[in-house]
Amino acid sequence: MSIGIIGSGNVGRALGQLFSHVGEKVILSHRHGVASLAPVIAEMRSTVEAGTVAEAADQDIVVLAVPFNALDELPTKVKADAVVIDATNYFPSRDGERSALTEHHTTSSELVAQHFGTKKVVKAFNTIAMTKIRSLAKPNQSSDRIAIPIAGDDAAAKQTVTNLIEKIGFDAVDLGGLADSYPAQADGPLFLFTGDADQVRAQANK
Ligand SMILES: NC(=O)c1ccc[n+]([C@@H]2O[C@H](COP(=O)([O-])OP(=O)(O)OC[C@H]3O[C@@H](n4cnc5c(N)ncnc54)[C@H](OP(=O)(O)O)[C@@H]3O)[C@@H](O)[C@H]2O)c1
């Protein structure tokens, strides 16, 4: 299994490190030349390589770690069975006013799924601050593991992401389909919330 990460800022770097710590092969990309990622890659484990955005988009798992408004600039094609992890958040002030999102006619991850033309989009990692994620990761069976909310329309894709989340040190709480992901959006009760699985389930309904 290989993981492509599009975006090499806070999210791309933090997730790249966490995935590489558990031995996953990662291609980290951004919109500039591959060579310009050399200093970032140098600080990571050897399972992380720099690549183009097209190369990152051609992996088994593709992580979106860009501002939401960059979506339209990303490739639309991923592998037929690829799982797309949507770690983005929609902020009107940064990404531009979109009434369909601010008025909750649709979720931002449903727009991501439309962009890629796949049901295998899983919203994950967008609620947790990357400044904290490494210190919050805990070994399996730790009593103080926190949970990351996920949502998606494809059960197998969600299982793949759940396995990855558990491997790097968290539990996963399934909120349902992408249409059920409002609580995990930037204007929802789970945004920046940290808690264990029961606390995340309770917070989702607040
Ligand atoms: N920061 C957090 O703690 C956190 C936590 C969870 C989720 N999020 C969400 O995750 C996303 C990324 O956040 P971040 O903090 O990592 O942002 P960031 O530090 O600003 O990094 C964004 C990355 O995306 C790249 N990028 C921008 N437009 C692109 C495009 N069209 N094609 C390819 N790459 C592009 C940027 O490249 P340039 O350097 O060229 O601009 C940069 O590498 C956002 O949607 C954010 O809301 C953030």
Side-chain angles (χ1 to χ4, degrees), residues 6-13 29-32 53 64-71 73-74 87-91 94-95 125-131 191-192:
I6 303 178
S8 60
N10 302 303
V11 175
R13 294 175 196 208
S29 73
H30 64 184
R31 58 184 164 174
H32 310 290
V53 168
L64 306 185
V66 294
F68 182 77
N69 65 8
L71 180 65
E73 296 164 33
L74 301 186
T88 72
N89 288 300
Y90 166 67
F91 292 107
R94 181 191 64 189
D95 300 316
F125 298 115
N126 67 295
T127 59
I128 184 165
M130 292 297 135
T131 47
F191 190 63
L192 298 180

Side-chain angles (χ1 to χ4, degrees), residues 10-202:
N10 302 303
V11 175
R13 294 175 196 208
L15 292 183
Q17 280 184 333
L18 281 166
F19 297 153
S20 67
H21 279 187
V22 295
E24 298 290 350
K25 180 176 175 249
V26 176
I27 293 188
L28 185 65
S29 73
H30 64 184
R31 58 184 164 174
H32 310 290
V34 172
S36 62
L37 276 171
V40 177
I41 300 296
E43 292 175 3
M44 296 194 173
R45 297 206 173 180
S46 59
T47 61
V48 185
E49 287 175 25
T52 63
V53 168
E55 286 166 343
D58 196 32
Q59 304 308 310
D60 304 321
I61 296 178
V62 181
V63 181
L64 306 185
V66 294
F68 182 77
N69 65 8
L71 180 65
D72 293 340
E73 296 164 33
L74 301 186
T76 53
K77 200 170 177 307
V78 290
K79 285 181 180 177
D81 286 335
V83 173
V84 176
I85 298 181
D86 178 17
T88 72
N89 288 300
Y90 166 67
F91 292 107
S93 55
R94 181 191 64 189
D95 300 316
E97 186 70 26
R98 298 193 191 200
S99 58
L101 292 173
T102 52
E103 293 170 16
H104 285 192
H105 297 307
T106 187
T107 63
S108 59
S109 290
E110 287 176 289
L111 298 186
V112 168
Q114 281 172 27
H115 177 89
F116 289 100
T118 176
K119 290 190 179 307
K120 292 179 176 286
V121 170
V122 180
K123 188 177 191 72
F125 298 115
N126 67 295
T127 59
I128 184 165
M130 292 297 135
T131 47
K132 293 186 183 167
I133 192 167
R134 271 168 283 187
S135 62
L136 290 171
K138 295 278 170 7
N140 207 355
Q141 270 135 31
S142 298
S143 56
D144 55 348
R145 256 193 169 197
I146 70 156
I148 290 179
I150 68 167
D153 296 332
D154 182 277
K158 281 198 282 197
Q159 189 59 56
T160 298
V161 176
T162 296
N163 294 346
L164 186 60
I165 286 172
E166 291 177 347
K167 199 169 171 183
I168 65 169
F170 300 90
D171 290 331
V173 167
D174 185 358
L175 301 177
L178 295 181
D180 304 312
S181 64
Y182 291 112
Q185 295 198 142
D187 58 355
L190 289 173
F191 190 63
L192 298 180
F193 177 81
T194 52
D196 65 20
D198 287 341
Q199 290 167 327
V200 166
R201 283 187 203 97

